[in-house]
Amino acid sequence: MIFCRVLGPIDVEIDGVRAELGGPVPRRLLAALAAGAGAPVSLAALAEAVWDTELTAEVTSAIRVVVHRLRSALGPRGRGCLESAPRGYRLALAPEATDHGLFEQRVARGSGQLTGDDPRGAVRTLESALALWRGRPWAELGESLHVSGQRARMVELREIAVEELQAARLARGDTARAVAALSQAVIEAPYRERRWELLALGLYRSGRQGHALAELRRVRGLLVGELGTEPGPALRALERRMLVHDPSLLIVPEPAPPDEPRAADPARRATVPRPLTQLIGRARELSALAAALGTSRLVTVTGPAGVGKTRLAVEHAADRADARLVRLADIRGAEAIGPAIASALGVTRPSGDPLTAVAHVLGDRRRLLVLDNCEHLTDALADVVLPLLARCPGLRILTTSRWASGLDGERVLALAPLPIDGEAGSAVDLLFDRVRAVRAGWAPTARDTAAATAICAALDGLPLAIELAAARARSFGLADIATHVRERFDGLGAPARGSVSPHDSLVAAIAWSVEQLPDAERAFLLRLWPFDGGFPWQAASAVRPAGADGAVFAGLAALVDRSVLTADVSGEPVRYRLLETVRRYCRDIDADRAGTLRAHAAWVRSFVVDQTSLFAGARFSEAVRTLAGELANIHAGIAHDLEHAPAQALRTTGALRYLWAAHAGQVPEGRQLLRRALDACPDAPVADRAAALIGLALACGHMGEPDAALRAADAALALLDDEDPAHDDLLLEAHMRRCNSLADLDAGERLRGAALAFKAACDRRDPPGFLRASALWGIALVHFQDGDMPAVVETLTRAHGIATRCGFTSGEAISDLQLAWYLLADAAGVEPGALRALDLLLRAVDVFERQPNGSDELAALHAGVFALALLGAPDAAARLHSAVAHHAERGGTRPDRYLRFAGPGLEQRMARLLASLPPVRSGPLAWDEMVALFTDAATALSASRAQTQGARAL
């Protein structure tokens, strides 16, 4: 048997005996042949690799002499492997007869074993692969280009093998060894992000979460500082998952040693009874809990009231003969903890200190103590848990609590509510299972499914609340239960007898959490219930009780730690949210409900002022996104002010006039709020009423109501003083709205006069860029009506440039959209004009995707329907038209309003074209699917036309 090694100095074994290859020249030639991987190597390549020279007759003779010597060195068994080939030689060895071929096979097999859930086998295979390496591959060939590519490939494969080996060790639970190896590996190759990912994961699984996050920050600093690049998506996703304590980051340990008690052993008996109902939706959490107890001796399951902490702990303990359950919900003092534990262990009459008796009973035996409902005993636990763990090396302690104990070595597993959507394991799945238990033969209808989703959403996916709701299914339908639980908890039943829940109602469970809070934290919590959909820390700071002590961050952190507040750290900024059930409880017990609502409304007003001040500059898009993220709170604040401070409501709704149009689906809501505020404040300051009227004109225009829009714009102009500089910007906005309304009405000469008046008003002032660009849109329309297309193009190009320079992002897209309609009207089927319009629409849609303006984006997509149809893509045009119509109806807007800008003939032509499109049989597209349909079809069409034109030119 022959085996050739090149992963280090070249070496050949024949039947286990090392062959003497001779000096450096034969060794280099054999290495060059080995690099051929069984393929012939030409004489010229050998000349270059071995002698670094071109092939000559003298070099050819030298090659033949060296080959003869090598064959002699390989002996009778090996000489046949060095074969002659046309114009060269080859080393005829199978891949498994060379260390580099065998290495490749083992790396592939080990990677497959890891993917196929055989980490133990993967470790063995990858360790054997790496053991083949003795040094630099093909070391005899130096920097020869003949082997550089093959060498680089093998080195990269070795780096991958190192990483896959540590991944396999982590997967089999050998965390300590993997972390030690990875700590050195990241030093050896600091830019390989996979190594940092595995190192952080190993540290996290070792209970060193802080160290894991520090390593992720360290690699980020390295990549940004030295390479100027952010970490890749894998590292960023891992950091987000660690920050929210994603339980799937933990693993189930390998099977325990033979002396580990098992519930399946008939000789042993579990002492914690399993509940009779089926556990739904917690498979991943059970695995994470088992993994945590496999590596840590103190584990705490935390989470809000009713989330199922006790049920999870009991379900885990029911599989273990060594587990004992200690219920502490009714224990009120530290002195009672020891006797309760002693009783659970069967020590009924301990003499002296109960904990001493407990420690004596436990000794060094393997035991799991489950201490349930510990939140009210956090301070006392240290004097119980730490001494027991120190004196009993085989003891593990699992506690359930609303918050962590903060003890040294504690591993925290945060339990989240069940997901609302989905099937297996969801909150709806749990509700259906429990309803079937009380209604034999019941099968959910589509109406039941919708009602169940509403129930689970109103109850935050909390298992306790869902089970209590299901108990009412004996007497009520799900639709009736959904109606009641949205506002009142008396729509819920009582826990079944024998339930593991220590509370007799959801209210009692929530009250238990809230009443345990210190006075300052409780007062802070009661100021947060008006926030709908969450809030940033600045909002919490603004509504804190007067005279509150301490930093807002400390207050929020305390409420998060105590599981009455959740923190979404996956985005920027971090958002905090009360579960809906906790919100309603806090609202019901708040003694100063009116004051709390006033504080919330005051923050909304301040927030709106800060963000709308950015509308006239380059940060318009950022402000719209920020405001859109707080729409639920904005609506709540305006609703409060409409009742208690209508003048403030008018000012807020008017300031938000561009948000209503920019955010998809808000136009009808904005119009309604503006009208209510205007009706409530007939004597409000002129500027506030004018701003609201301008907003009303804008909303009516987007909804296809040009007459109402014109009346509102005219009313705003009538209020404003042309000589008052304080009214300048509002006056120009009112002019702009009047022009748009007249364009929608196809008003002819009236529009011409309005557009020229708007332009003249701008020329007399120094308006913001967005108004100057808007004025040019009206002038472009006048040029179009005059039939002067070059002037139209020049004017809208100028408007686009102004919008770009001042940061009026949506203005860039609107300029492109308006020009596209004019080109489509002018082209009337002429391909170059339609193609240019299509390119403009692509650019506009891209801008609208980056800067939210749903109403105008639908208008651009509506124009795209016409362009695609004109250019011979009827199927895509038909599907796009169906999608646009669907989303326009949902958002209450009219995407075809730009048609009238392009003259009366275009509307009829488009109607005829739409009537000729093929029918659409598929369902409505989601927004992203609609945008992708247009961009893909338009891009393909433009590329096809460009290719055709290029071929014609040739």
Side-chain angles (χ1 to χ4, degrees):
M1 177 181 176
I2 301 174
F3 191 80
C4 178
R5 295 186 178 90
V6 294
L7 300 180
I10 192 164
D11 188 29
V12 177
E13 280 185 8
I14 301 175
D15 294 332
V17 178
R18 182 180 180 185
E20 292 296 330
L21 301 177
V25 172
R27 298 173 67 85
R28 283 203 302 272
L29 191 141
L30 187 60
L33 291 172
V41 181
S42 68
L43 295 175
L46 291 172
E48 182 181 353
V50 179
W51 286 277
D52 192 22
T53 186
E54 295 181 355
L55 184 65
T56 63
E58 185 179 359
V59 172
T60 300
S61 177
I63 293 173
R64 288 172 179 160
V65 170
V66 174
V67 168
H68 177 72
R69 291 177 182 173
L70 279 173
R71 285 172 173 164
S72 298
L74 293 174
R77 292 290 306 275
R79 64 184 299 121
C81 296
L82 212 168
E83 296 179 352
S84 299
R87 295 185 294 278
Y89 297 90
R90 78 184 189 100
L91 187 61
L93 292 176
E96 56 271 16
T98 65
D99 59 352
H100 64 289
L102 191 58
F103 174 74
E104 288 190 52
Q105 291 178 354
R106 289 179 179 177
V107 172
R109 185 165 69 252
S111 299
Q113 289 171 321
L114 179 58
T115 305
D117 293 329
D118 181 15
R120 186 186 295 274
V123 169
R124 289 195 301 267
T125 303
L126 291 168
E127 284 179 341
S128 68
L130 289 168
L132 294 169
W133 279 69
R134 297 168 295 113
R136 190 186 190 202
W138 294 283
E140 291 78 3
L141 296 182
E143 300 303 322
S144 172
L145 293 177
H146 175 72
V147 78
S148 60
Q150 184 81 312
R151 178 187 289 145
R153 179 173 174 274
M154 296 305 298
V155 169
E156 174 61 19
L157 197 58
R158 182 182 185 276
E159 301 294 333
I160 293 172
V162 168
E163 293 158 2
E164 293 304 291
L165 172 59
Q166 308 318 320
R169 285 173 174 166
L170 288 176
R172 65 171 288 188
D174 192 0
T175 310
R177 192 173 179 186
V179 167
L182 288 162
S183 299
Q184 178 63 31
V186 296
I187 296 173
E188 295 171 351
Y191 302 130
R192 294 185 71 90
E193 294 186 29
R194 171 70 166 155
R195 299 186 176 191
W196 291 95
E197 178 189 357
L198 292 170
L199 174 60
L201 182 60
L203 291 168
Y204 186 90
R205 288 179 177 171
S206 303
R208 299 153 69 184
Q209 291 95 331
H211 192 176
L213 289 168
E215 291 296 330
L216 291 176
R217 286 192 291 271
R218 184 156 74 103
V219 66
R220 183 184 183 279
L222 173 72
L223 295 174
V224 172
E226 297 192 12
L227 302 180
T229 183
E230 290 285 339
L235 284 177
R236 296 198 302 271
L238 179 62
E239 184 176 24
R240 288 194 298 270
R241 294 170 65 196
M242 285 184 177
L243 288 171
V244 299
H245 298 290
D246 184 351
S248 67
L249 290 174
L250 303 173
I251 61 170
V252 180
E254 288 198 320
D259 61 336
E260 180 76 16
R262 296 174 181 270
D265 186 349
R268 308 189 66 89
R269 179 175 57 86
T271 59
V272 179
R274 186 187 302 280
L276 297 179
T277 56
Q278 179 186 4
L279 180 68
I280 291 178
R282 294 301 192 194
R284 188 173 65 176
E285 289 83 352
L286 274 174
S287 295
L289 178 56
L293 285 167
T295 58
S296 302
R297 297 183 62 207
L298 175 59
V299 176
T300 298
V301 179
T302 64
V307 79
K309 302 180 292 294
T310 298
R311 177 63 191 267
L312 186 74
V314 167
E315 197 77 26
H316 172 81
D319 283 333
R320 303 180 58 145
D322 63 340
R324 299 295 184 273
L325 175 64
V326 186
R327 297 188 183 274
L328 299 178
D330 296 327
I331 299 297
R332 287 294 176 265
E335 67 282 353
I337 300 177
I341 296 175
S343 176
L345 290 171
V347 184
T348 55
R349 294 183 179 180
S351 58
D353 179 17
L355 289 181
T356 301
V358 167
H360 177 73
V361 169
L362 291 174
D364 60 358
R365 285 183 290 181
R366 293 176 180 270
R367 282 289 184 269
L368 172 68
L369 274 183
V370 181
L371 306 181
D372 185 40
N373 283 99
C374 300
E375 50 270 349
H376 58 304
L377 301 168
T378 301
D379 294 336
L381 275 183
D383 296 331
V384 175
V385 168
L386 294 180
L388 283 178
L389 289 173
R391 295 168 66 179
C392 308
L395 177 64
R396 278 171 164 70
I397 295 179
L398 168 61
T399 71
T400 70
S401 176
R402 306 287 164 82
W403 48 85
S405 66
L407 298 179
D408 184 41
E410 179 184 34
R411 181 76 167 267
V412 178
L413 180 63
L415 191 61
L418 292 173
I420 306 300
D421 299 324
E423 296 179 1
S426 69
V428 172
D429 195 30
L430 173 63
L431 179 62
F432 284 171
D433 180 80
R434 299 308 190 251
V435 171
R436 291 187 187 99
V438 299
R439 292 171 62 179
W442 176 79
T445 64
R447 186 165 180 251
D448 288 331
T449 301
T453 302
I455 292 169
C456 294
L459 299 176
D460 297 310
L462 294 173
L464 172 61
I466 292 167
E467 298 214 22
L468 299 182
R472 290 297 194 198
R474 295 186 184 95
S475 308
F476 301 100
L478 292 187
D480 297 323
I481 298 173
T483 301
H484 283 87
V485 299
R486 287 191 185 98
E487 287 298 326
R488 299 172 59 86
F489 291 132
D490 59 6
L492 302 177
R497 285 180 291 179
S499 167
V500 298
S501 173
H503 304 291
D504 59 6
S505 70
L506 180 63
V507 172
I510 298 172
W512 174 260
S513 292
V514 174
E515 297 309 319
Q516 295 293 326
L517 297 173
D519 290 344
E521 292 176 11
R522 186 174 182 274
F524 189 14
L525 175 68
L526 292 182
R527 300 291 278 192
L528 301 177
W529 64 261
F531 286 101
D532 190 2
F535 53 88
W537 72 265
Q538 296 92 335
S541 180
V543 302
R544 293 179 73 199
D549 297 327
V552 66
F553 286 112
L556 290 171
L559 294 176
V560 171
D561 289 343
R562 293 177 181 270
S563 300
V564 292
L565 190 68
T566 63
D568 181 2
V569 299
S570 61
E572 289 290 342
V574 174
R575 287 190 70 78
Y576 301 90
R577 187 175 76 88
L578 286 173
L579 293 177
E580 190 61 29
T581 48
V582 177
R583 279 188 68 211
R584 280 184 273 164
Y585 176 79
C586 291
R587 178 196 63 189
D588 292 343
I589 69 168
D590 187 3
D592 185 21
R593 191 183 301 186
T596 301
L597 287 170
R598 280 197 304 273
H600 175 263
W603 170 76
V604 169
R605 293 193 294 268
S606 173
F607 173 73
V608 168
V609 168
D610 290 343
Q611 295 301 318
T612 55
S613 67
L614 306 177
F615 275 3
R619 297 175 65 186
F620 175 84
S621 301
E622 173 190 338
V624 167
R625 282 192 293 269
T626 303
L627 287 166
E630 298 292 352
L631 269 174
N633 284 314
I634 289 171
H635 283 305
I638 291 174
H640 172 274
D641 285 349
L642 281 170
E643 183 176 354
H644 299 283
Q648 296 288 359
L650 179 69
R651 181 168 297 169
T652 301
T653 54
L656 292 168
R657 55 192 177 276
Y658 289 107
L659 174 68
W660 309 127
H663 194 269
Q666 285 299 309
V667 179
E669 182 80 15
R671 181 187 62 172
Q672 181 182 8
L673 289 173
L674 287 161
R675 283 177 171 165
R676 288 182 60 191
L678 284 164
D679 292 343
C681 301
D683 299 322
V686 166
D688 291 343
R689 283 193 62 81
L693 285 165
I694 291 167
L696 183 59
L698 178 62
C700 290
H702 277 270
M703 293 186 67
E705 301 173 355
D707 290 311
L710 181 60
R711 286 194 299 272
D714 285 342
L717 282 170
L719 284 174
L720 296 166
D721 184 353
D722 192 55
E723 302 299 327
D724 186 349
H727 291 180
D728 278 356
D729 287 355
L730 288 173
L731 190 76
L732 294 177
E733 285 189 56
H735 274 295
M736 175 172 62
R737 301 269 61 87
R738 187 167 193 272
C739 287
N740 282 13
S741 303
L742 290 169
D744 285 341
L745 289 166
D746 194 19
E749 287 304 314
R750 290 174 66 197
L751 171 59
R752 180 184 298 272
L756 293 174
F758 182 18
K759 177 69 165 52
C762 283
D763 292 341
R764 293 196 303 271
R765 296 167 173 81
D766 183 22
F770 82 95
L771 287 171
R772 191 179 300 112
S774 301
L776 291 176
W777 297 341
I779 298 302
L781 180 53
V782 171
H783 288 318
F784 181 77
Q785 290 178 340
D786 291 340
D788 190 352
M789 276 302 294
V792 170
V793 173
E794 188 276 332
T795 302
L796 289 175
T797 302
R798 191 147 48 96
H800 188 283
I802 293 171
T804 301
R805 288 191 294 275
C806 73
F808 182 27
T809 312
S810 64
E812 300 175 44
I814 292 172
S815 300
D816 284 341
L817 170 57
Q818 193 172 344
L819 180 54
W821 272 122
Y822 293 148
L823 289 169
L824 289 171
D826 187 61
V830 177
E831 186 173 289
L835 277 172
R836 187 178 177 196
L838 195 63
D839 290 339
L840 290 168
L841 293 170
L842 273 171
R843 188 166 72 171
V845 168
D846 178 64
V847 169
F848 287 137
E849 280 293 292
R850 289 183 281 112
Q851 188 263 283
N853 188 335
S855 180
D856 280 327
E857 183 169 2
L858 282 174
L861 292 169
H862 187 66
V865 173
F866 191 32
L868 291 175
L870 282 175
L871 292 169
D875 291 330
R879 292 181 62 209
L880 182 61
H881 179 248
S882 174
V884 169
H886 169 72
H887 287 284
E889 182 178 0
R890 290 184 61 190
T893 61
R894 288 288 303 274
D896 60 351
R897 65 186 183 281
Y898 281 87
L899 270 172
R900 297 180 183 176
F901 288 15
L906 183 61
E907 195 167 3
Q908 287 80 13
R909 287 199 300 274
M910 186 165 187
R912 289 194 299 270
L913 193 62
L914 292 177
S916 69
L917 293 178
V920 177
R921 306 194 186 281
S922 57
L925 299 176
W927 186 279
D928 291 345
E929 294 172 329
M930 172 178 65
V931 173
L933 168 65
F934 169 68
T935 54
D936 291 348
T939 302
L941 202 55
S942 295
S944 174
R945 289 295 195 276
Q947 186 176 7
T948 301
Q949 291 173 1
R952 289 173 180 169
L954 293 175

